[in-house]
Amino acid sequence: MSVEVYKLTDSVYEIRVVDRSTRFFEGYWEIPEGVTYNSYVITTPEGAVVLDTVKAQYALEYLEALRRVVDPRDVRLIVVHHSEPDHSGAFPILYREAGSPEVLAHPIARRILESRYGVRIERFRAAGDGAVVELGGGARLRVFQVPWLHWPDTIVTLYEPDRIAFTGDVFGSYGSPASNTDRGLDWGWYERLMVKYFVTVIGTYRDWVKRNLGKLEKLVTEARMVAPLHGVVLVERRGEALELYRRLASGSQSKRALVVYATMYGAAEAAAITAAGLLAEKGWSVAVHGSSDSRRMVYSEMLTDAILSRLIVLVAPVYEAAVHPEVEHIVGLLCKKAAAGQAVVLLSSYGWGPTASKLLKPKLEACGLRVVAVAEAQGRLPEEKVREAVEKALEAL
């Protein structure tokens, strides 16, 4: 772990905690690449404004870093873009050290903060959609409510006149790059980390991304920097980040496919390899993720490829006259986090009887995936059956 302080403009600073010890974000998603927690400070002649804090376990180190920028007793306003603990964990200690300053947040955030941290917020300003908060000296924050991106109390703000958009988890990313901005960054590498973050954290609320695109477009268009709470400050790639969100919310049209499977004794894996080879022959970019008796797929990476794909090949062995439990889990994750109208090829091997398609097809279609081809066989799936299913799916696209 390290805590770093950066000066973004004459009046705006970033305090960045680099966390390389958390292995499972939210206690579940695999992130060997690490993650950052970003807090921002605006200095004004009338006192300092702190925008979000960091995870509770780093609160003391964060407070020491803050003292390198301002005296906590000079903080007159704390802005909470959403109350999730990885960004509000140091709120209680800052609130106490700053002498109970005013708090600006979504109207429902007050009870979330007070109930979680056992504090009583004496001066609370509800951040209404479109509100303008004057900071003095011509500086102001414009507020946009963007609920469910990804908490119900999410707001984003635009700081004027510096034109910095503070976007909470929106446009955030996993990773712990050496630089705090996107200047000189390998965008292909970083964009995948943004997709991984989007699908695991915001994926459930893709419809809310669509509903709020107008606000996000206005925000990014007017800003010259986009400052999220995870990842780097976007200076050169603001437009690409916005376009990425637009694509992820609406579904991929690229020639990419995901082949995902669970296998007990090798039949499902053989079918998956066959399907992947056939798609590659047709010029598709194919990602393969599987679980077996010796390895478990990385769910966060599988979902990243799922949301980027136009076609999903799901290979599901029958297990105890039902669907293999790992496949049930995969389908649950796909439906909750990554279903965006993709076409699905459903392949299944069975020992006793063909039940997988009968059980899975309704679930997949109920969550917005389109089952366009099915192939089932006892034991190993013949290559010809797999080929017919894949070709049928490609014709349907």
Side-chain angles (χ1 to χ4, degrees), residues 204-268:
T204 303
Y205 309 105
R206 288 182 311 283
D207 286 346
W208 287 92
V209 176
K210 293 179 187 177
R211 296 182 197 184
N212 287 292
L213 266 177
K215 292 179 181 179
L216 297 181
E217 288 170 353
K218 181 176 179 60
L219 193 69
V220 173
T221 299
E222 295 189 21
R224 66 185 184 94
M225 291 185 192
V226 172
L229 294 180
H230 298 290
V232 300
V233 175
L234 299 167
V235 182
E236 299 175 345
R237 302 283 188 163
R238 304 184 307 279
E240 286 96 326
L242 178 62
E243 179 58 29
L244 178 65
Y245 265 56
R246 186 182 290 111
R247 285 190 282 115
L248 293 175
S250 59
S252 174
Q253 294 301 312
S254 62
K255 207 171 178 181
R256 298 178 62 137
L258 164 69
V259 177
V260 58
Y261 69 92
T263 193
M264 292 180 286
Y265 303 109

Side-chain angles (χ1 to χ4, degrees), residues 112-351:
I112 298 174
L113 292 167
E114 290 185 337
S115 64
R116 180 167 188 88
Y117 298 117
V119 299
R120 184 177 182 277
I121 299 174
E122 298 176 5
R123 292 179 293 145
F124 181 84
R125 184 185 301 197
D129 194 25
V132 177
V133 180
E134 298 293 342
L135 303 179
R140 67 189 67 83
L141 283 172
R142 288 166 54 197
V143 176
F144 302 81
Q145 289 185 359
V146 287
W148 296 110
L149 298 185
H150 69 114
W151 272 39
D153 63 326
T154 302
I155 62 171
V156 295
T157 58
L158 181 67
Y159 173 58
E160 299 171 333
D162 287 5
R163 292 165 47 214
I164 300 178
F166 298 105
T167 57
D169 280 350
V170 180
F171 305 123
S173 174
Y174 295 124
S176 49
S179 172
N180 74 310
T181 76
D182 61 354
R183 293 187 180 97
L185 197 63
D186 179 344
W187 184 250
W189 166 77
Y190 187 74
E191 186 178 62
R192 182 173 176 88
L193 293 179
M194 285 189 70
V195 175
K196 181 178 176 179
Y197 182 82
F198 179 98
V199 71
T200 56
V201 175
I202 299 178
T204 303
Y205 309 105
R206 288 182 311 283
D207 286 346
W208 287 92
V209 176
K210 293 179 187 177
R211 296 182 197 184
N212 287 292
L213 266 177
K215 292 179 181 179
L216 297 181
E217 288 170 353
K218 181 176 179 60
L219 193 69
V220 173
T221 299
E222 295 189 21
R224 66 185 184 94
M225 291 185 192
V226 172
L229 294 180
H230 298 290
V232 300
V233 175
L234 299 167
V235 182
E236 299 175 345
R237 302 283 188 163
R238 304 184 307 279
E240 286 96 326
L242 178 62
E243 179 58 29
L244 178 65
Y245 265 56
R246 186 182 290 111
R247 285 190 282 115
L248 293 175
S250 59
S252 174
Q253 294 301 312
S254 62
K255 207 171 178 181
R256 298 178 62 137
L258 164 69
V259 177
V260 58
Y261 69 92
T263 193
M264 292 180 286
Y265 303 109
E269 184 173 44
I273 292 170
T274 299
L278 293 170
L279 286 166
E281 288 175 8
K282 299 287 187 180
W284 283 66
S285 174
V286 185
V288 181
H289 295 269
S291 294
S292 69
D293 57 2
S294 62
R295 67 185 182 280
R296 179 65 47 81
M297 74 179 69
V298 177
Y299 299 128
S300 57
E301 295 293 345
M302 180 273 292
L303 288 173
T304 301
D305 286 315
I307 203 168
L308 291 171
S309 294
R310 189 179 179 191
L311 175 66
I312 297 173
V313 179
L314 176 63
V315 191
V318 172
Y319 180 85
E320 296 179 346
V323 178
H324 192 282
E326 174 74 344
V327 174
E328 289 186 340
H329 185 58
I330 292 165
V331 169
L333 290 175
L334 288 172
C335 282
K336 186 176 180 63
K337 294 287 187 180
Q342 298 96 325
V344 176
V345 176
L346 181 56
L347 306 177
S348 178
S349 65
Y350 59 88

